[in-house]
Amino acid sequence: MSIDRRMSIDMDIEEFRRHGHEVVDWMADFLRDIEKLPVKSRAKPGEIIGQLPEKPPQEGEPFEAIFQDFQRIVVPGMTHWQHPSFFAYFPANSSRPSVLGEMLTAALGAQCMIWQTSPAAAELEERMMQWLRGMLGLPSGWDGVIQDSASSATLCSILTAREQVSGYGVNARGFDAGGRLVVYGSAETHSSIEKAVKIAGLGAESLRKVPVDGSYAMVPEKLQEAIREDRRRGNTPCCVVATLGTTGSTAVDPLAEIGEVCRKHRVWLHVDAALAGSALVLPEMRWMIEGIDAVDTFVFNPHKWMFTNFDCSAYFVKDRDALVRTFEIHPEYLKTREGRRVNDYRDWGVPLGRRFRALKLWFVLRTFGVQGIRETIRSHMEMARSVVERIEASPDFELLAPAPLNTVCFRYRPQGISDPDELNDLNARLLEAVNDTGKAFFTHTKLDGKYTIRFVVGQTYVSQRHVDQGWKLIAETAAKL
Ligand code: PLP
């Protein structure tokens, strides 16, 4: 095949320019009109795959056909996380500057595994992590690196803790030393902790779920008891994971007391602040990190609540040498003359290949400014408070947990119904009926066995109007059940 023939198969550069403009126009219209779409996709299982040919095309197709199919097949099969009435899960919010940054990352198409493979990517990442560290009020001596997810960052932390406690012995020899290495989280800890414990080879039975108090936060005395009990049994406490903002109800584990226990018993302390970390931009929320000096590692997700589209997870470490020593590899083909004068991020986590994620974060932080980020997060928390006030004023609804951040946990409890199963069933039906309208999207959890509806205010462009409509929808749907 001649070179000319090969080039004509791909998109011509002027065609790329034309289609690029069309795509950006489509994106702007989509984001402007997103409220007209149902928040939760109405697709039925198999409906999308049924529209896709079983085999790939033998001959290339024109971009017009591909783009039309994207609009016809893909968009109706999407749940719209950027819809301002998306109140489900935790947000994975984005913003317009973030999308533009992500487009440029795709155009640059760089593999940012070491400094030499794109010095700007490595040094912009270093600077962005310093900016975030200062914005959140984290200790100035810490280093940071962008990971794909909080799950990966927590895995890195548990692996580093494992190596610290075993004198880097597991990395070298595997688990020949005998004895169980134990990890502690609360009963409300995220499932990524259990996954990390399994992947780290510690075994799921080595995860202790420490009891929580009435606000679903870890009880430090119970943590201490569990550590003592493990020592008595000859086990080795390896890592404690404290959560700021649990996934169920945004409970905040008491860091200062947990840090004391970890110091006393010399146990590694990781903080999972996946959602709540963003709220630390607000000076009035810094109470959550009282006792931060006892912490070894900390993760939060700008891709949850800092307007930076997935994926972008900020992982901070007190001891960068311990992290690098856990992950470093030295194949000949990756050796460079800069050595330790630069950050080679391949040694700061699991994958070798890395995307240029710092670019979109830079665009977001510069467009919003620290004040803009503060104002937006504060407004989300105020809107969540307005939901709390409505629930407190309504005899037919009941708050099920404190709401220190942007998440309100509640259930419908009309007078005359007290049977626990009946209430659970009623609330499951309420949630389904609300989501079926397509006007808003909420999800649930169970707290203390109670079916709990979660109202999470965190979408970038949400306003009080959307929150009011969301509440009205819930109240009116409940009254009709
Ligand atoms: N930790 C907490 C508290 C979370 O709420 C979540 C996700 O919602 C995670 C960890 C996992 O985050 P990721 O999807 O970035 O791995």
Side-chain angles (χ1 to χ4, degrees):
M1 186 188 296
S2 77
I3 291 183
D4 281 343
R5 166 76 185 123
R6 211 145 26 104
M7 283 175 69
S8 72
I9 294 172
D10 192 3
M11 191 182 281
D12 170 79
I13 193 68
E14 290 309 321
E15 245 184 288
F16 170 78
R17 187 188 308 282
R18 187 161 55 82
H19 294 314
H21 284 288
E22 285 163 14
V23 167
V24 172
D25 275 342
W26 183 90
M27 285 161 49
D29 289 346
F30 165 74
L31 292 173
R32 184 195 58 204
D33 299 336
I34 195 165
E35 286 188 47
K36 295 180 188 152
L37 299 173
V39 190
K40 181 170 176 273
S41 171
R42 295 191 165 125
K44 302 271 176 304
E47 193 177 314
I48 308 299
I49 199 166
Q51 298 178 71
L52 301 170
E54 283 176 18
K55 300 262 164 57
Q58 291 302 313
E59 300 292 331
E61 298 180 67
F63 184 75
E64 286 81 357
I66 303 169
F67 194 37
Q68 266 174 26
D69 283 350
F70 162 76
Q71 294 172 56
R72 187 176 59 85
I73 303 171
V74 175
V75 177
M78 297 303 293
T79 289
H80 294 297
W81 287 69
Q82 305 315 318
H83 194 300
S85 297
F86 182 99
F87 302 115
Y89 306 106
F90 276 157
N93 66 22
S94 176
S95 62
R96 292 148 201 170
S98 175
V99 173
L100 296 178
E102 190 73 285
M103 284 166 65
L104 292 175
T105 288
L108 292 168
Q111 234 289 16
C112 307
M113 53 192 174
I114 54 178
W115 181 86
Q116 162 173 289
T117 59
S118 275
E123 294 187 15
L124 189 62
E125 180 160 341
E126 186 174 348
R127 186 61 90 213
M128 287 310 96
M129 290 299 95
Q130 292 165 353
W131 282 11
L132 287 179
R133 185 184 65 201
M135 285 166 62
L136 268 57
L138 299 175
S140 58
W142 285 10
D143 288 292
V145 56
I146 303 182
Q147 305 269 352
D148 59 359
S149 63
S151 304
S152 295
T154 294
L155 174 63
C156 287
S157 179
I158 288 177
L159 289 171
T160 312
R162 185 193 75 184
E163 289 313 300
Q164 286 269 293
V165 85
S166 70
Y168 296 86
V170 180
N171 262 0
R173 298 178 300 280
F175 281 98
D176 68 350
R180 188 181 278 283
L181 303 185
V182 184
V183 174
Y184 307 82
S186 84
E188 291 290 320
T189 203
H190 189 261
S191 53
S192 56
I193 318 304
E194 181 173 342
K195 198 187 250 185
V197 167
K198 289 200 268 186
I199 298 169
L202 309 185
E205 289 173 16
S206 300
L207 175 62
R208 305 276 176 265
K209 295 215 171 157
V210 178
V212 292
D213 62 17
S215 68
Y216 301 101
M218 185 192 283
V219 179
E221 294 76 21
K222 296 282 177 196
L223 170 67
Q224 170 144 295
E225 276 172 28
I227 290 174
R228 285 201 167 124
E229 177 59 21
D230 272 310
R231 287 232 199 272
R232 245 194 312 277
R233 287 200 219 154
N235 297 331
T236 306
C238 171
C239 175
V240 171
V241 180
T243 308
L244 307 183
T246 57
T247 315
S249 69
T250 63
V252 178
D253 288 344
L255 198 56
E257 286 102 314
I258 292 171
E260 278 303 305
V261 173
C262 289
R263 270 210 175 109
K264 189 162 147 196
H265 295 272
R266 295 174 172 275
V267 187
W268 182 270
L269 176 54
H270 173 59
V271 170
D272 175 2
L275 172 94
S278 295
L280 292 171
V281 293
L282 303 179
E284 66 268 28
M285 293 306 290
R286 297 269 167 86
W287 57 267
M288 292 193 293
I289 49 166
E290 222 176 279
I292 191 76
D293 287 340
V295 170
D296 292 287
T297 55
F298 177 102
V299 63
F300 91 102
N301 285 345
H303 72 223
K304 274 191 164 51
W305 199 15
M306 206 179 265
F307 325 117
T308 308
N309 57 289
F310 192 86
D311 52 348
C312 184
S313 191
Y315 179 52
F316 291 96
V317 300
K318 182 189 274 173
D319 181 354
R320 126 200 193 149
D321 290 343
L323 172 69
V324 172
R325 196 169 161 198
T326 301
F327 290 100
E328 68 190 342
I329 37 138
H330 299 287
E332 191 55 37
Y333 50 85
L334 291 179
K335 287 186 181 149
T336 60
R337 65 180 174 196
E338 286 78 22
R340 301 214 68 181
R341 283 182 297 137
V342 297
N343 288 344
D344 286 330
Y345 287 120
R346 65 149 199 247
D347 288 333
W348 295 52
V350 175
L352 171 62
R354 309 179 71 253
R355 285 166 22 75
F356 186 6
R357 301 187 186 92
L359 191 63
K360 59 189 170 187
L361 186 57
W362 190 43
F363 278 32
V364 171
L365 298 183
R366 292 184 64 186
T367 305
F368 279 74
V370 178
Q371 284 308 341
I373 289 174
R374 281 201 183 120
E375 277 163 27
T376 312
I377 289 180
R378 195 176 275 131
S379 77
H380 291 172
M381 290 174 53
E382 281 165 8
M383 286 186 258
R385 182 112 284 276
S386 76
V387 177
V388 170
E389 283 162 10
R390 283 214 169 84
I391 292 169
E392 282 172 343
S394 167
D396 289 342
F397 285 87
E398 175 184 34
L399 272 180
L400 293 178
L405 292 148
N406 66 340
T407 301
V408 185
C409 292
F410 66 97
R411 69 175 173 177
Y412 180 43
R413 195 175 195 278
Q415 278 146 22
I417 304 186
S418 56
D419 178 70
D421 292 337
E422 201 179 331
L423 281 170
N424 284 354
D425 179 60
L426 185 66
N427 279 277
R429 284 192 289 121
L430 170 58
L431 186 73
E432 210 163 293
V434 165
N435 289 339
D436 281 349
T437 66
K439 291 183 186 157
F441 182 28
F442 301 86
T443 48
H444 82 285
T445 188
K446 271 205 174 153
L447 292 173
D448 229 1
K450 294 174 194 145
Y451 191 98
T452 305
I453 301 178
R454 296 163 72 260
F455 196 138
V456 186
V457 186
Q459 216 291 318
T460 310
Y461 303 104
V462 63
S463 69
Q464 189 67 51
R465 169 174 68 87
H466 302 105
V467 171
D468 292 346
Q469 285 168 354
W471 175 253
K472 195 162 168 258
L473 180 65
I474 289 172
E476 287 179 358
T477 311
K480 282 189 227 142
L481 283 179

